């Protein structure tokens, strides 16, 4: 293409990965970033030496003053809707970090704005972009599992509340409070705890692999057993759950169990799994060495005997950021549509409502 797409990034926490991805794309010029934290802005020359654009304190100011083709929104959840709508109305295409919004109403407003403005709105459900996940999707589409009737998707941490000390430092035994402080456990900014932070990834991945069935009802529970006690020691407030679990029923009869926790008494520091059961085969993805690399196993029956196999290689896939640029440049569909984000938000809202009411909740 003769003219590069102009991009801007709002938020250099998770947005740092977006910035790095755009800087590597040959068809993009990153002309601006915005971040309220002085320390992040000060480290720009060190962390991103190839960035030569303008630096703003406020994302809204960046949107108003720059003529951008692409905007990344990677800020606390309560700012997603306002910034996304403003960017779309300014003429930009938007890649928004997960979760899409604080609730379904906000997500639907973002979707309607994207349609009205005829701009692309992508949601960065990053686990779709893992090589093993893409390989699993290819296998499923080729019929390896047959009819998927059950799935369980999990993300547990032993001790991993954002802004708090992890693992053995969670309680030092010295009587001193663990260091903490984060918008993640302020419900007014986040909308929720590990369900909306970690579970949102596992939910989207499961829905995508299952063929995006329509949810019918949810039965859920949430618990707070660790975070509030630590917050009290530090003189702060912890207003979200630290574990959520749910059963989700779909219109095709399939069932999904979803579990997410920042703090739980398990063996592993970090446990991520998804199990899919079909009438022709089963599949299991799990993280290796309690980290962020993954393996996939496939289970089936051949000649009347049970067979197990393991994925040896998975072809690298482009990042979420690169694919969003390609979608804007070529006017092609992005892997994660805003409708996907709205469906996830409907389920999350239903999970929190079911947990609050202590009974199943229908999803309309």
């Amino acid at each position: 293409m003769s003219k590069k797409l102009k991009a801007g990034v709002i938020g250099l926490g998770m947005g740092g990965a977006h910035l790095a991805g755009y800087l590597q794309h040959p068809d993009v010029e990153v002309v601006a970033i915005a971040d309220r934290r002085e320390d992040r802005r000060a480290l720009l020359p060190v962390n991103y030496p190839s960035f030569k654009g303008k630096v703003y304190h406020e994302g809204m100011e960046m949107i108003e003053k720059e003529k951008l083709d692409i905007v990344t929104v990677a800020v606390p959840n309560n700012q997603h809707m306002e910034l996304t709508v403003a960017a779309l109305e300014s003429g930009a295409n938007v890649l928004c970090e997960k979760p899409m919004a604080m609730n379904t109403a906000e997500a639907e407003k973002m979707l309607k704005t994207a349609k009205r403005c005829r701009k692309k709105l992508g949601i960065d459900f990053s686990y779709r972009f893992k090589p093993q996940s893409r390989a699993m999707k290819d296998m499923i589409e080729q019929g390896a599992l047959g009819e998927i009737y059950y799935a369980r998707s999990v993300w547990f941490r032993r001790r991993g509340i954002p802004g708090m000390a992890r693992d053995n430092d969670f309680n030092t035994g010295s009587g001193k409070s663990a260091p903490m402080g984060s918008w993640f456990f302020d419900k007014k900014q986040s909308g929720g705890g590990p369900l909306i932070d970690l579970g949102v990834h596992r939910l989207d991945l499961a829905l995508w692999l299952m063929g995006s069935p329509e949810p019918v009802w949810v039965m859920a529970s949430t618990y707070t057993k660790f975070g509030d006690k630590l917050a009290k020691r530090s003189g702060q407030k912890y207003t979200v759950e630290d574990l959520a679990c749910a059963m989700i029923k779909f219109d095709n009869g399939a069932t999904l169990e979803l579990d997410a926790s920042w703090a739980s008494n398990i063996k592993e520091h970090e446990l991520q799994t998804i199990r899919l059961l079909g009438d022709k085969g089963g599949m299991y993805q799990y993280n290796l060495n309690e980290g962020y690399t993954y393996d996939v196993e496939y289970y089936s029956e051949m000649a009347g005997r049970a067979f197990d196999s393991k994925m040896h290689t998975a072809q690298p896939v482009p990042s979420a950021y690169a694919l969003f640029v390609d979608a804007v440049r070529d006017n092609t569909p992005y892997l994660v549509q805003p409708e996907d984000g709205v469906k996830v938000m409907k389920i999350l809202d239903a999970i929190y409502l079911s947990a609050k009411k202590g009974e199943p909740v229908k999803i309309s």
Side-chain angles (χ1 to χ4, degrees):
M1 61 185 296
S2 58
K3 185 179 180 182
K4 289 189 175 184
L5 296 168
K6 293 185 177 182
V9 175
I10 306 173
L12 291 178
M14 291 300 297
H18 293 242
L19 174 57
Y22 294 148
L23 289 171
Q24 294 172 8
H25 200 292
D27 296 327
V28 176
E29 178 186 4
V30 185
V31 299
I33 66 95
D35 196 294
R36 291 176 175 176
R37 286 179 49 171
E38 183 180 354
D39 58 332
R40 287 176 177 166
R41 299 196 306 271
L43 286 172
L44 271 167
V46 176
N47 294 334
Y48 310 98
S50 61
F51 170 71
K52 306 299 180 184
K54 295 181 181 178
V55 179
Y56 292 88
H57 181 271
E58 293 294 330
M60 199 63 75
E61 182 185 8
M62 184 192 83
I63 292 169
E64 292 170 353
K65 291 186 176 180
E66 301 290 337
K67 183 62 177 176
L68 300 167
D69 300 299
I70 294 173
V71 170
T72 272
V73 174
V75 290
N77 304 340
N78 64 335
Q79 301 173 44
H80 284 192
M81 187 270 290
E82 182 181 18
L83 288 168
T84 295
V85 167
L88 290 167
E89 290 181 336
S90 76
N93 302 276
V94 177
L95 180 57
C96 181
E97 262 297 333
K98 61 79 192 171
M100 185 173 181
M102 291 282 281
N103 51 53
T104 302
E106 289 189 357
E108 288 179 335
K109 182 175 181 179
M110 294 161 67
L111 170 60
K112 289 177 182 177
T113 304
K115 288 183 174 180
R116 173 170 53 83
C117 296
R118 298 183 179 181
K119 293 297 176 180
K120 294 187 183 299
L121 171 57
I123 313 302
D124 185 20
F125 288 130
S126 58
Y127 280 75
R128 293 199 196 188
F129 300 89
K130 302 293 184 184
Q132 292 80 8
S133 300
R134 296 291 292 277
M136 292 170 71
K137 182 66 171 176
D138 289 344
M139 290 176 66
I140 290 168
E141 290 184 341
Q142 291 174 17
L145 268 62
E147 178 192 352
I148 300 173
Y149 57 89
Y150 171 84
R152 186 181 185 213
S153 197
V154 174
W155 193 338
F156 278 159
R157 288 175 178 168
R158 184 163 185 166
R159 297 293 185 268
I161 301 174
M164 295 189 186
R166 296 174 65 104
D167 306 325
N168 293 333
D169 295 328
F170 190 77
N171 184 347
T172 64
S174 64
K176 296 181 179 179
S177 299
M180 61 181 292
S182 174
W183 63 266
F184 282 89
F185 50 79
D186 176 5
K187 191 170 185 177
K188 291 181 179 179
Q189 296 186 75
S190 65
L195 174 65
I196 205 169
D197 178 39
L198 308 181
V200 66
H201 279 302
R202 309 312 297 173
L203 175 58
D204 175 74
L205 179 61
L207 290 173
W208 181 57
L209 293 173
M210 295 173 76
S212 195
E214 291 300 320
V216 177
W217 59 262
V218 165
M219 179 66 192
S221 297
T222 59
Y223 301 92
T224 303
K225 300 295 182 181
F226 299 96
D228 56 343
K229 296 179 179 64
L230 279 174
K232 188 175 181 179
R233 288 186 216 164
S234 301
Q236 300 187 53
K237 290 184 178 180
Y238 183 97
T239 55
V240 299
E241 82 282 359
D242 49 39
L243 184 144
C245 55
M247 174 180 284
I248 305 155
K249 193 72 175 180
F250 299 98
D251 63 351
N252 63 355
T255 301
L256 169 64
E257 292 186 61
L258 178 68
D259 302 294
S261 180
W262 280 335
S264 48
N265 289 322
I266 60 172
K267 178 181 179 180
E268 301 88 353
H269 297 295
E270 192 117 4
L271 176 67
Q272 298 177 47
T273 66
I274 183 167
R275 186 182 295 279
L276 301 158
L277 299 182
D279 58 1
K280 292 184 179 179
M283 200 174 288
Y284 184 53
Q285 183 195 52
Y286 51 95
N287 64 320
L288 299 171
N289 303 314
E290 304 176 17
Y292 288 79
T293 56
Y294 304 86
D295 237 334
V296 177
E297 295 179 3
Y298 173 70
Y299 316 110
S300 61
E301 187 175 286
M302 296 175 62
R305 297 171 177 83
F307 273 78
D308 302 344
S309 56
K310 192 172 182 179
M311 188 180 298
H312 283 265
T313 59
Q315 295 295 326
V317 295
S319 70
Y321 333 115
L323 285 179
F324 190 71
V325 171
D326 293 347
V328 172
R329 179 195 63 200
D330 302 331
N331 194 26
T332 54
Y334 184 58
L335 181 62
V336 187
Q337 292 295 303
E339 289 86 353
D340 300 332
V342 171
K343 180 180 289 189
V344 167
M345 290 310 310
K346 285 183 177 180
I347 295 173
L348 294 181
D349 284 355
I351 290 173
Y352 281 124
L353 182 59
S354 175
K356 182 179 180 180
K357 296 175 71 173
E359 61 185 37
V361 167
K362 290 184 178 181
I363 302 177
S364 58

